[in-house]
């Protein structure tokens, strides 16, 4: 059996149509397959490879850390330099109340742990999330998912979860003294890039949470680490969360998640019971070393600064095409909306054949996802847009 046959036989298949590129190596914004064909990665491994692939600083960090040690003990027992330094760097870039970092392995784990923390801290169990929200795929996270198609086969999920309309001020009234936490994405990713420019919404949400003693949780798993044009999207919203959730690009390409809050809130995980959240691999030294290299590069070189300008180029080069019904974008979270799903999938497929990887959104299959590494150049954007334009023209 060749690799492709083994892939289909022994790697669990959950997608009806996996891309099934056989990857040989990757560098910058390019992936290379085993036949030598190159692909421009315009989705960055779904918002992970913000520095592109095989960045020299990431490779060096892996090599240096691997020379010292990898796993040593379960989370929180030993003092591990890469973990400590990453927490120091992260908290230095956040408002002072976000001072305590708990590292886990993935996005959905940060959601699960934040659900527990909010319940434990407030003594309440009602959770609120948004329609069309995506916070992960495990049981608790699925309970916060705002899409019936993806949840109904797995019910019953967590009781007492409510869904409100994203960006709708009236629905803020659903938050009451019974609500433990509100989970919300600053920009809804899987909904097909939806956000509100109206900061009075975020201020009203913050105020309602303060008034009711509800924790406000920002899911920056997809928006974080520079993707929206600032290091964290909430910097543009003029309000800060009680709990900040990070993952995806946080580890610079290795698995890492984190939930960050105040010492006062995090402290409840230390008693009744002690070890209120446990993970074996969370904050793995290798992932923290690459996370530190990635964060230091993004923050110190201010790689987020040109993101909005470069994102506007996509709109400039593509907006003349009548097949595109609308373009929604926030930094390097871009959605091109087409007439229907079939057309979207045909164009995505045509782009792939021509060596450009784009994607669709879980809850919006009529739109094309563009989310390139932050390091993409203006020339590369021009070239990518030529290929996307040709693919659109050939299919309309
Ligand atoms: N939250 C958001 C906003 C996401 O986009 C994702 C993943 O796409 C998750 C949570 C879950 O992250 P993970 O796939 O690492 O569990």
């Amino acid at each position: 059996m060749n690799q492709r046959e083994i892939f289909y036989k022994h790697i669990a298949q959950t997608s009806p149509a996996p891309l099934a590129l056989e990857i040989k190596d990757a560098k910058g914004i390019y992936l290379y397959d085993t036949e030598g064909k190159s692909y421009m990665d315009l989705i960055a491994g779904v918002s992970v490879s913000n520095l592109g692939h095989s960045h020299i600083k990431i490779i060096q960090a892996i090599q240096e850390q691997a020379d010292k040690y990898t796993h040593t003990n379960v989370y929180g027992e030993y003092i591990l330099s890469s973990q400590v330094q990453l927490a120091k760097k992260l908290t230095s870039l956040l408002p002072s109340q976000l001072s305590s970092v708990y590292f886990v392995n993935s996005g959905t784990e940060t959601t699960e742990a934040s659900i527990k923390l909010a319940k434990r801290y407030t003594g309440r169990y009602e959770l609120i999330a948004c329609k069309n929200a995506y916070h992960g795929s495990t049981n608790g996270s699925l309970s916060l998912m705002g899409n019936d198609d993806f949840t109904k086969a797995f019910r019953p999920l967590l009781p007492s979860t409510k869904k409100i309309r994203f960006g709708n001020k009236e629905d803020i009234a659903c938050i009451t003294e019974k609500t433990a936490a509100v989970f919300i994405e600053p920009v809804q990713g899987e909904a097909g890039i939806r956000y509100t420019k109206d900061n009075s919404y975020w201020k009203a949400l913050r105020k309602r949470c303060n008034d009711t003693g509800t924790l406000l949780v920002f899911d920056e798993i997809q928006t974080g680490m520079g993707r929206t044009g600032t290091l964290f999207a909430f910097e543009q919203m003029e309000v800060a969360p009680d709990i900040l959730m990070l993952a995806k690009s946080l580890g610079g390409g290795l698995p890492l998640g984190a939930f960050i809050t105040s010492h006062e809130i995090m402290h409840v995980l230390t008693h009744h019971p002690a070890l209120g959240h446990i993970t074996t691999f969370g904050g793995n030294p290798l992932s923290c070393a690459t996370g530190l290299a990635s964060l230091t590069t993004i923050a110190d070189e201010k790689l987020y600064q040109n993101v909005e300008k470069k994102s506007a180029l996509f709109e400039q080069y593509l907006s003349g095409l009548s097949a595109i019904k609308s373009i929604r974008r926030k930094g390097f979270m871009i959605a091109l909306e087409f007439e229907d799903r079939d057309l979207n999938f045909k164009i995505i497929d045509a782009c792939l054949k021509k060596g450009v990887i784009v994607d669709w959104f879980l809850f919006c299959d009529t739109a094309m996802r563009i989310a390139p590494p932050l390091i993409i150049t203006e020339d590369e954007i021009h070239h990518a847009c030529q290929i996307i334009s040709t693919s659109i023209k050939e299919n309309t």
Side-chain angles (χ1 to χ4, degrees):
M1 272 197 288
N2 63 26
Q3 294 262 73
R4 185 167 296 273
E5 288 162 344
I6 300 170
F7 170 80
Y8 283 108
K9 183 153 192 239
H10 292 300
I11 296 293
Q13 299 293 322
T14 59
S15 164
L19 289 173
L21 302 180
E22 201 172 328
I23 303 299
K24 184 164 165 279
D25 48 31
K27 181 95 193 136
I29 65 154
Y30 289 95
L31 297 169
Y32 301 92
D33 73 9
T34 44
E35 282 161 16
K37 184 169 173 185
S38 65
Y39 296 88
M40 243 185 200
D41 182 2
L42 288 199
I43 56 170
V46 187
S47 302
V48 170
S49 316
N50 282 9
L51 287 184
H53 299 279
S54 308
H55 191 284
I56 183 69
K57 300 242 173 78
I58 300 291
I59 293 172
Q60 278 168 356
I62 292 173
Q63 287 169 342
E64 280 167 26
Q65 185 59 48
D67 270 349
K68 293 182 198 148
Y69 54 84
T70 54
H71 180 74
T72 54
N73 200 346
V74 297
Y75 172 84
E77 289 298 326
Y78 297 156
I79 300 169
L80 306 171
S81 176
S82 63
Q83 201 180 73
V84 170
Q85 292 307 317
L86 178 55
K88 181 178 166 207
K89 182 80 184 168
L90 265 173
T91 51
S92 76
L93 296 162
L94 287 167
S96 59
Q97 71 274 20
L98 295 174
S99 55
S100 181
V101 186
Y102 192 123
F103 288 113
V104 290
N105 302 284
S106 66
T108 201
E109 267 185 271
T110 78
T111 307
E112 296 290 339
S114 299
I115 291 173
K116 284 172 62 187
L117 179 59
K119 286 167 74 177
R120 172 73 181 85
Y121 181 73
T122 60
R124 309 170 183 175
Y125 52 85
E126 180 183 271
L127 301 166
I128 291 185
C130 287
K131 294 181 196 289
N132 280 319
Y134 186 83
H135 298 291
S137 186
T138 51
N139 203 61
S141 307
L142 210 55
S143 310
L144 301 179
M145 189 182 281
N147 182 292
D148 281 350
D149 290 343
F150 282 88
T151 53
K152 59 178 174 240
F154 303 104
R155 287 186 193 139
L157 294 165
L158 284 183
S160 300
T161 56
K162 281 190 197 162
K163 304 289 151 38
I164 59 174
R165 287 170 292 178
F166 181 84
N168 183 295
K169 278 191 193 158
E170 274 171 35
D171 284 12
I172 289 176
C174 296
I175 303 163
T176 68
E177 276 79 11
K178 287 192 174 149
T179 315
V182 177
F183 285 73
I184 190 162
E185 300 156 88
V187 180
Q188 287 198 311
E190 297 315 312
I193 313 303
R194 318 273 171 177
Y195 68 99
T196 172
K197 288 184 181 145
D198 177 8
N199 276 354
S200 68
Y201 172 74
W202 297 107
K203 286 179 187 162
L205 182 64
R206 178 68 273 181
K207 183 171 184 310
R208 182 73 180 169
C209 288
N210 289 349
D211 292 348
T212 55
T214 300
L215 296 184
L216 181 56
V217 184
F218 283 170
D219 180 342
E220 291 236 30
I221 288 166
Q222 201 164 150
T223 53
M225 321 321 288
R227 182 147 294 279
T228 68
T230 44
L231 190 55
F232 304 105
F234 78 81
E235 292 168 43
Q236 298 169 50
M237 292 150 46
E238 299 174 86
V239 295
D242 297 302
I243 302 177
L244 176 68
M245 307 202 299
L246 301 173
K248 285 202 179 273
S249 174
L250 177 65
L254 266 64
L256 189 64
F259 57 102
I260 306 173
T261 186
S262 66
H263 275 94
E264 186 211 333
I265 296 174
M266 196 69 91
H267 181 67
V268 296
L269 294 178
T270 65
H271 56 284
H272 307 301
L275 299 172
H277 192 70
I278 299 175
T279 163
T280 297
F281 284 119
N284 182 273
L286 262 186
S287 301
C288 286
T290 52
L292 180 61
S294 173
L295 176 61
T296 306
T297 308
I298 293 171
D300 294 1
E301 294 180 18
K302 297 195 170 37
L303 289 182
Y304 46 83
Q305 256 179 357
N306 285 329
V307 164
E308 190 51 41
K309 188 173 151 233
K310 290 195 275 188
S311 165
L313 287 179
F314 278 97
E315 183 159 354
Q316 186 187 318
Y317 294 140
L318 296 170
S319 58
L321 296 159
S322 59
I324 301 176
K325 282 172 57 194
S326 61
I327 299 179
R328 295 182 295 274
R329 59 177 186 88
K330 181 79 188 159
F332 275 156
M333 297 175 81
I334 303 173
L336 307 184
E337 187 72 43
F338 293 101
E339 192 62 44
D340 56 49
R341 177 187 194 277
D342 282 356
L343 179 59
N344 188 30
F345 277 57
K346 265 192 216 157
I347 296 166
I348 291 171
D349 200 41
C351 288
L352 185 67
K353 290 202 176 96
K354 294 184 205 307
V356 168
I357 301 173
V358 285
D359 204 357
W360 48 287
F361 297 93
L362 215 47
F363 310 147
C364 183
D365 57 13
T366 51
M368 177 195 287
R369 179 203 304 265
I370 300 177
L374 311 188
I375 53 141
I376 192 169
T377 64
E378 295 190 5
D379 284 347
E380 287 166 339
I381 293 172
H382 188 247
H383 182 51
C385 287
Q386 282 178 329
I387 294 174
I388 296 169
S389 295
T390 310
S391 304
I392 293 173
K393 284 177 194 153
E394 282 175 4
N395 283 283
T396 49

